Amino acid sequence: MSGEVGVVMVAPAIVGIGLVAGAGYLAARGVGALAGAAGDRLAARQSRGWAVADRIARVVADHRLLQDQIGRGQAQFAGAISDGPVIGDAPGGLNLDRGEQWAAWAEAAVEQAGARFRQEMAAARTGWVMDEVAAALDRLPRPAPVPGRPAVARAVPAPSVKVAESLRRVLGRMDGGVPPTLATTLQKRAADALAAVSEATQLQLLDDLRYTVDQANEQVRRRHATLRELTARLAGYTGPAVDEALAAISAAGADPGPDLPALSDTVDAAIAATLAPMVREYAHQALRDSLEEIGLAVEEDFDVALGTEGLAHLHRDGWDDLAVRVRSRGEDAYYFNMVAPAGADETDVAAVEHQWCSAVDRLLPVLEAHGLQVTTTHRSEEGDPHVQTVAKFPFERRRRDDRRRDEDVRRRRELPR
């Protein structure tokens, strides 16, 4: 081959590495760490560290979902619903004791606020139902006034103790995450039940309503389990794509029929967009390390140059005015070709080409050992070497004439006198 090689290198095992809730922990989300040797280089955490990171991610997700529910409750009942807890950011650094303490405190704060929210929502919904009953009675025809007899205000008939307790239990069990439209429908059904003539009918209607509330709660639990998992997967990531994904998760909490598979795809895309620079940086570093492992020298800041300028160079003793240029093409494709300065003596091109071809054969398995999946897109035929002329040679130019002159001097000194 003439020294031209095209390869595609990706690190498919990087799918979920990020800082969890700003705590400074590298977290693996199921399949979220580099496999094999790459994983050993990028992250190695003990089981306790992973447990702390996951606990922090869960409480952050629970807090976000509770805040969304409280916001919808306040939109419907205003001041009857208290503000949610403020837990701030998780502690930074690698102190696992501090991380566990913060997670325990935040869990308690979220649980306490959740219990208060459920009580306030039950009370607010009960009051709403009683107001609806009173409004319905006000809409009934009133008897004609009798001359000389003062008008008597219509009193709202209070439900019996048994009916009131049943109403409280039914509304109290309704999950705060039930979408507002559905919650309003269920509340109106409760008001209709209280408007029934007999206590037995009221209790029967409320019992039927309890079954409907349980069905709505089960849908909410399933939806929230998925939303919680999706939120936890985004914990610690930042950026516009992550913000959009979190907003979509929040909106799905109030949607009676959210497209959860599409939402999961949105989260995956947000994580991929956030990790893309990390993947590229790791690929550049792994390429540099692999080249050095097989005995090639790279120019200073090789991986930085490859990431910023899109090209870098490698060299080897004995190549003199020949080098190999690496160009980045797209997100994960790289092109290798031989270069030389203008006016360079190319009499040794064939020997350098053979050495470079042998280096390529050793390079590919080393890259794979670094966790990179490698695909060769093309290799030019050996025996027809091509060298690209460059205006600026990246390595020190050691002219072949100078080298040969030194060799001649050495040989003359070694000749017998």
Side-chain angles (χ1 to χ4, degrees), residues 313 321-325 337-341 386-390 393-394:
H313 301 84
D321 285 345
L322 289 170
V324 172
R325 168 171 288 181
N337 67 285
M338 295 173 61
V339 297
H386 171 75
V387 178
Q388 177 187 358
T389 300
V390 294
F393 193 64

Side-chain angles (χ1 to χ4, degrees), residues 29 61 65 224-234 264 267:
R29 299 288 159 212
L65 290 176
H224 279 180
T226 301
L227 298 181
R228 178 185 180 186
E229 187 271 334
L230 294 176
T231 304
R233 283 166 55 189
L234 290 170
S264 179
V267 170

Side-chain angles (χ1 to χ4, degrees), residues 2 21 26 66 90 104 156 208 251 256 270 280 285 311 348 363 380 404:
S2 69
L26 281 174
L66 177 61
V156 178
D208 294 342
R280 288 193 295 272
Q285 293 174 352
L311 59 87
D348 293 338
L363 174 65
S380 55
R404 289 169 178 166

Side-chain angles (χ1 to χ4, degrees), residues 13-14 17 26 32-45 50 275 278-279 282 285:
I14 307 181
I17 300 171
L26 281 174
L34 274 172
D40 295 338
R41 288 173 171 80
L42 192 59
R45 294 291 298 170
W50 296 121
L275 291 177
M278 183 187 301
V279 173
Y282 179 80
Q285 293 174 352

Side-chain angles (χ1 to χ4, degrees), residues 193-217:
L194 262 63
V197 176
S198 68
E199 179 183 274
T201 303
Q202 292 173 348
L203 292 173
Q204 180 62 46
L205 293 173
L206 289 176
D207 191 61
D208 294 342
L209 180 60
R210 181 181 296 108
Y211 174 74
T212 305
V213 168
D214 288 343
Q215 286 184 315
N217 288 345

Side-chain angles (χ1 to χ4, degrees), residues 69-411:
Q69 293 181 16
I70 289 175
R72 290 193 294 273
Q74 290 178 336
Q76 185 178 10
F77 299 114
I81 307 300
S82 302
D83 291 335
V86 178
I87 63 174
D89 294 329
L94 299 177
N95 189 317
L96 298 182
D97 289 334
R98 287 187 59 203
E100 288 178 337
Q101 293 171 2
W102 184 90
W105 167 82
E107 284 174 348
V110 171
E111 183 178 355
Q112 181 180 5
R116 182 181 66 240
F117 169 70
R118 289 188 292 272
Q119 293 175 354
E120 292 175 348
M121 285 294 289
R125 283 168 171 158
T126 301
W128 186 93
V129 169
M130 297 306 297
D131 290 343
E132 282 292 298
V133 173
L137 291 174
D138 285 341
R139 290 193 294 268
L140 295 176
R142 294 177 179 272
V146 178
R149 184 178 298 176
V152 179
R154 186 194 303 272
V156 178
S160 68
V161 174
K162 194 173 183 179
V163 170
E165 179 63 19
S166 179
L167 174 65
R168 186 190 65 78
R169 287 197 303 268
V170 170
L171 295 180
R173 69 193 299 141
M174 190 189 305
D175 194 291
V178 172
T181 302
L182 178 57
T184 301
T185 299
L186 297 177
Q187 290 165 190
K188 288 183 177 180
R189 286 187 57 183
D192 293 340
L194 262 63
V197 176
S198 68
E199 179 183 274
T201 303
Q202 292 173 348
L203 292 173
Q204 180 62 46
L205 293 173
L206 289 176
D207 191 61
D208 294 342
L209 180 60
R210 181 181 296 108
Y211 174 74
T212 305
V213 168
D214 288 343
Q215 286 184 315
N217 288 345
E218 180 59 28
Q219 293 177 357
V220 169
R221 280 190 288 270
R222 289 197 300 266
R223 182 168 67 250
H224 279 180
T226 301
L227 298 181
R228 178 185 180 186
E229 187 271 334
L230 294 176
T231 304
R233 283 166 55 189
L234 290 170
Y237 297 112
T238 58
V242 173
D243 293 339
E244 292 177 5
L246 289 174
I249 292 174
S250 178
D255 188 346
D259 188 346
L260 295 180
L263 190 59
S264 179
D265 292 341
T266 299
V267 170
D268 289 341
I271 293 175
T274 304
L275 291 177
M278 183 187 301
V279 173
R280 288 193 295 272
E281 179 181 356
Y282 179 80
H284 296 159
Q285 293 174 352
L287 176 58
R288 178 201 62 201
D289 294 343
S290 300
L291 290 167
E292 291 176 340
E293 285 181 26
I294 64 173
L296 296 173
V298 299
E299 66 177 315
E300 186 178 0
D301 295 329
F302 173 90
D303 47 326
V304 175
L306 192 58
T308 56
E309 301 176 11
L311 59 87
H313 301 84
L314 55 105
H315 197 254
R316 185 175 180 175
D317 289 341
W319 286 9
D320 294 320
D321 285 345
L322 289 170
V324 172
R325 168 171 288 181
V326 186
R327 284 182 285 176
S328 176
R329 289 186 170 179
E331 294 294 324
D332 50 20
Y334 300 87
Y335 180 81
F336 300 79
N337 67 285
M338 295 173 61
V339 297
D345 185 351
E346 298 184 6
T347 56
D348 293 338
V349 168
V352 172
E353 179 207 11
H354 180 73
Q355 294 176 13
W356 167 235
C357 292
S358 299
V360 169
D361 292 333
R362 288 182 286 122
L363 174 65
L364 300 182
V366 174
L367 287 171
E368 292 178 350
H370 278 260
L372 298 177
Q373 184 182 51
V374 182
T375 301
T376 303
T377 59
H378 68 276
R379 291 179 66 162
S380 55
E381 294 296 330
E382 187 173 0
D384 184 21
H386 171 75
V387 178
Q388 177 187 358
T389 300
V390 294
K392 182 179 180 181
F393 193 64
F395 298 98
E396 179 184 358
R397 294 187 61 179
R398 292 173 293 174
R399 303 298 297 176
R400 287 175 175 79
D401 292 343
D402 295 338
R403 177 169 57 83
R404 289 169 178 166
R405 185 182 306 111
D406 293 340
E407 291 176 352
D408 290 342
V409 171
R410 179 179 55 79
R411 282 195 295 270

